[in-house]
Structure formats: structure tokens, C-alpha cells
Amino acid sequence: MSGLLEIDKLCVWYGPVFALKDATLSVGSGEAVALIGANGAGKSTLFKSIVGFLRPKSGALRFLDRDVTGLRTEQRIRLGVGYSPEGRRVFPGLTVRENLEVAVFAGKAERARRVDRAFSLFPQLATRQEALGWQLSGGQQQMLAIGRALMGQPRLLLLDEPSLGLSPKLADEVLAGIRGIVKDGTSVLLAEQNVGKALACCDRAYVLEVGKIVLAGTAAALRDTEEVKRAFLGG
Amino acid sequence: MITFLQLVINGLALGAAYALVALGFVFIVNATGAVNFAHGDLVMAGGYAAVGLGSLAQIPAVYFLPLVAVIMFVLGVALALLAYFPLINRPPSTVFISTLLCGIILQNAFVVLFGPQAHAAPPLLKSGVAHFGEIEISVQAIGTMVVAAILIASQYLLFTRTQIGRRLRATAEDRQMAQAVGIPAFALIAATFGLGTALAGIAGALLANQFFVYPTGGIPLSVYAYIAVVIGGWGSIAGAVIGAMIISLFQVVVSAYVSYAAATGLLYVTLLLIFVVRPQGIFGERVQRRA
Ligand SMILES: Nc1ncnc2c1ncn2[C@@H]1O[C@H](COP(=O)(O)OP(=O)(O)OP(=O)(O)O)[C@@H](O)[C@H]1O
Ligand SMILES: [Mg+2]
């Protein structure tokens, strides 16, 4: 399992306060990794550092064996990262189809093929192709954000709390989709507060607490850890 | 009745040029959220470019209009590099001031290069008027309307039908997220400045035949562009065009019956009223975001 994403001792500060301290983690090819932690633990901060919205103070960030710290956001994305942000951030004035199209960097035929694939992944979107981004329901926006993140056929997909604001049933559907995405060759890093669900669909997990990674291991092993049970699973 | 119709047609011809001015202005507002108060001076720069090129070669403006557009595109990118990108993380009012300063620099450059007096650029095709019954329209006015119609239609197609247009819109809506889907947002913002400035320049070249160019002539144009965008709904491209038409009709008709000063004064009063009564503009409804 070669390291697709390698993060070593990453430190991120917001002004005088740190949000991540010596975070070390990796995602390999063909795996789904969960990043779990309570509100304010630093999950979104880690994702924003990976895509380059934030500049880490120190530490290494390697993707596909390349140091990406000097690259602009769009360069990192084009290397093979897909990002579905917290809060979805679909383009509100673009139609559903346009939201998907803007993220494809390939010829016209290929563009149409990939858009169709997103529609077959999320049939609900297919029926609302001409609706504007802001007109969608929260769940539909979430599907669109994930579909858009897959348009570049990324090697690594970053999903920041995709179940936020979804009904339990829809959240299950979205999380169940993760196995299929991994099978198609895209590794997944998933930030979730719903630990039970995250551990159920991921191979490994890291537990983040106030900016520090306090636990790491296979999903099966973590499920049985006392700390995880106590802190997150209510048992 | 005939005189009124004549006035309306004159107003529409002026409105066609104003529409190009407002269109370029709204592009830049959309792409950056920044109000470019050098915009009117860039219109004058286009006018001066036409004056300069016209004095080099005694040919109708239509032949060198593409060159004016190219020169102005470069000037717009330079403006972005100088007055926008260095201030990108500052509040919008900073960019407002920096573009205002660039406008003043341009006004002084015009004095140095062309002197304080007014100049006229060569006509688009030829001077003279065409008669339609009792209505007469200058050939320049017809040319202006045709050029504006072509450019407005191509803008519409660019923004709605092409991949680059979609990416320009995505960048305008959420720059950071555009980058996060792989779009080189900074290059597109620079291109937007170029495109908006090219439109301003073409408008200037068209206006510079009938209305002359002079160093401070751009100042009211910046304000008109601003008013057009406020009337049309902040950020709406179609609204900006309609807003520009309303301003020019208003100016032409009120100046004919009352006076030019009254027209200008009333226009500014209207702007204030819109701010208070209908801040989203007369036509505009801004894209809403879901919480
Ligand atoms: N822009 C900011 N400026 C200052 N502090 C910030 C900023 N963004 C986040 N923080 C702080 O950094 C810490 C980590 O925030 P982050 O958003 O990464 O948490 P999270 O794990 O994603 O939480 P949630 O589950 O609520 O999304 C928090 O304490 C937060 O208050
Ligand atoms: Mg978060």
C-alpha cells in the first residue's frame, strides 16, 4: 500500500491559537480512511491545509510522492485531489449540470461522459439538471458537491462531513456510496462526527482531539477501543 | 411625436455605448466584488487610443477597433496586477480607492500625452446621417448600436455556452471554491479585467466620434456605469444593459425638454432613491444562498 497522501507533523495556527499540532497521517491507494473528532477538533482545518486554503506553519504535505506545500490550490486539485467542502459550497448561480461541467478538464465528449456518470451515481440530480445550485435541497447540494469533487477523476477524495444536515437515511446512502467510489480507484478521506457510521464504511481511522491525533488504527480495532466507545459511541 | 421618437432613437444610440461601459463594469464587479472606479477613465483611454490610431492612419475606426480592444485588454490586465491583486485580501473599499487612484493617474497621462483640449476620433464607417422618413439617424449611431448588439450577444454566448464562460461565472461566485475544482481563478480574474476594459475601450472609441474625449471625461461615465448596475440589480449582466439604456433615455429626453444639468441632477437623485427604496435594484434579484 503506497502512500498516496503523506502528512507529517503538520502544524496550523489561526493567529495566536493552534488548530493542528503535529498531525501525522497517511492515506494509501485503495483505502477509505475516517477522520473523527468532535466540533472544533480540527478536521476541516486539516482538509483546508491539504487543498491549500490554509498555509501550515510547519510540517510536510506530500501527495503522489510530491511535496505540494508550494503549489496553488488548483494545481493540487489537478494532480488528483477532489474536495467536497464542509457546507457544500456549490456554485449558487450555476445549474446542476454546469456545476459538474466546470470541474472537468477534458474534451467535450469526455465531459458529457463524466457528467452522465455523476447522474447515474446520484439519480436525484439527473432530474434537476437545469435547476440552479441555490435552488436544491441541502441533501441534493451535498450530492452535487460530491459529484463535482469526482469530476476530475481524483486519486483522492476529501469528504468533509458529507452527512451534515442529511436525514439519517440519506446519510446512510451517501456513506454507502463511499465503498463504490473506493472500488472505482479513488481513495477517500472522510471527516465525520458520526463515528459509528464512519467506522462502518472505512478501513482505518484517526481520532482528532483539539488539534492532535490521539488514536489511530483499523476501523475494526477502533470500534472496540474503550476511549472511542466512551467518547463517541455512547457505550 | 416625431421629435419624441427621434429623441428615443438618439437615447438608444447613446445607450448602446453606455451599455458597453456598464457591461465591462459589471464583469469586474462580478469577478472580484470590487468597484472599479477607473472604469470611466478606461473608456476615455479607449477614446484616446482611437484618436491616436486615427491620426496615424486616415482610415475609418472599424478597421482599428480590434486593435483598440487588444490594447485595452492589456491595460485591463495591467490594472488588475497593479490595483487589484496586491490588495486581494483587503476590504473592497481598498480596491475602490486604488482604482480611483489609477483613474487619476490615467487622467494625468491623458493631459501629458494629448493635452487638456478635447479630441474627436474618426467615425466608425463614415460621417453623415441616414433618413428613415422624417427620422434621421447618424451613421455613427447606427454603427454604435450594431457593434454594441454584436458584443452584448457574444458576451451572452460566451458566459452561457462555453466552458470558459462557465468557469468565469464560477470564479465570480466563489473564487476559492473555483480553485478547489481546478480552475486557475487568478488567471481568469485577470482575463475578466482585460475583457471588461476592452469593452470600456470599444465604448470609448465609439463615443469619441460624437462626444469627444477629454482628460476628465471619464469621471461621469464611472458614475453612470455604477448607476446602471444599481438600477439593473447589482451583478446582473442583463440588468446592467437595461440600466444603461434607461440612463441614456432619461438624459436625452430630460435634457431636450428641461436641461442637461436637470437631467444629471435628477439622475443622481434617482440613484439615492433606489439605494433607499429598492437596494436590490429595479430588476435585480441577487442569487440567493441557502443557509
Ligand atoms: N478562520 C478561523 N479563525 C480562527 N479560528 C478558527 C478558524 N477556523 C477554525 N478555527 C478554530 O480552529 C479549530 C478547529 O476548527 P475546524 O473547523 O477545523 O474544526 P472541525 O473539526 O472541522 O469542527 P466541526 O466538526 O465543527 O466542523 C476550532 O477551535 C475553531 O474555532
Ligand atoms: Mg469542520
Side-chain angles (χ1 to χ4, degrees), chain A residues 93 98 101 104 134 136, chain B residues 163 167 169 173 179 288 290:
Chain A
E98 288 175 331
E101 285 174 334
V104 184
W134 68 267
L136 298 183
Chain B
Q163 183 74 340
R167 293 208 169 118
R169 281 159 55 212
E173 291 190 354
Q179 291 180 284
Q288 298 173 32
R290 251 167 212 274

Side-chain angles (χ1 to χ4, degrees), chain A residues 1-24:
Chain A
M1 200 187 293
S2 73
L4 189 61
L5 175 74
E6 301 274 2
I7 296 177
D8 193 34
K9 293 208 175 74
L10 200 72
C11 297
V12 180
W13 294 68
Y14 289 108
V17 290
F18 74 85
L20 281 179
K21 201 159 208 176
D22 291 332
T24 297

Side-chain angles (χ1 to χ4, degrees), chain A residues 31-231:
Chain A
E31 62 172 354
V33 176
L35 186 65
I36 54 192
N39 290 114
K43 306 179 294 294
S44 298
T45 300
L46 183 73
F47 280 14
K48 287 175 188 167
S49 310
I50 297 171
V51 298
F53 286 1
L54 291 172
R55 295 237 156 269
K57 193 165 196 169
S58 60
L61 200 59
R62 301 181 66 78
F63 182 67
L64 291 171
D65 281 326
R66 237 182 110 164
D67 176 14
V68 296
T69 40
L71 298 186
R72 283 193 305 274
T73 296
E74 65 268 28
Q75 294 171 317
R76 300 183 194 196
I77 298 298
R78 298 286 291 278
L79 277 180
V81 178
Y83 176 47
S84 168
E86 183 177 51
R88 310 180 276 258
R89 288 174 78 168
V90 300
F91 298 113
L94 270 59
T95 65
V96 167
R97 175 173 279 279
E98 288 175 331
N99 262 282
L100 297 170
E101 285 174 334
V102 286
V104 184
F105 291 80
K108 207 168 172 177
E110 175 65 13
R111 198 188 309 149
R113 206 180 61 76
R114 290 193 201 171
V115 169
D116 283 344
R117 218 172 46 192
F119 286 150
S120 62
L121 192 61
F122 299 112
Q124 272 211 40
L125 293 181
T127 61
R128 306 221 51 194
Q129 294 186 30
E130 299 307 319
L132 297 176
W134 68 267
Q135 296 169 324
L136 298 183
S137 75
Q140 292 166 337
Q141 284 187 346
Q142 188 62 62
M143 296 176 208
L144 184 55
I146 298 172
R148 181 180 64 180
L150 286 169
M151 283 293 108
Q153 301 190 323
R155 297 289 305 276
L156 173 67
L157 176 64
L158 305 173
L159 293 176
D160 196 349
E161 301 207 41
S163 66
L164 200 72
L166 302 194
S167 70
K169 181 170 165 289
L170 202 54
D172 286 344
E173 276 176 34
V174 166
L175 293 181
I178 288 177
R179 290 318 318 177
I181 291 169
V182 173
K183 218 170 78 217
D184 287 344
T186 296
S187 299
V188 171
L189 182 59
L190 166 75
E192 260 297 339
Q193 291 197 47
N194 191 326
V195 177
K197 285 179 180 171
L199 291 180
C201 68
C202 289
D203 306 299
R204 290 191 302 122
Y206 294 89
V207 179
L208 204 54
E209 236 168 57
V210 240
K212 294 184 186 135
I213 289 175
V214 293
L215 270 178
T218 63
L222 281 177
R223 241 190 317 261
D224 296 330
T225 324
E226 283 308 316
E227 286 127 300
V228 172
K229 276 189 192 162
R230 205 168 348 95

Side-chain angles (χ1 to χ4, degrees), chain B residues 21 25 36-41 218-227:
Chain B
V21 176
F25 183 82
N36 171 18
F37 253 72
H39 199 71
D41 303 298
I219 297 170
L221 291 174
S222 285
V223 181
Y224 294 161
Y226 188 88
I227 299 176

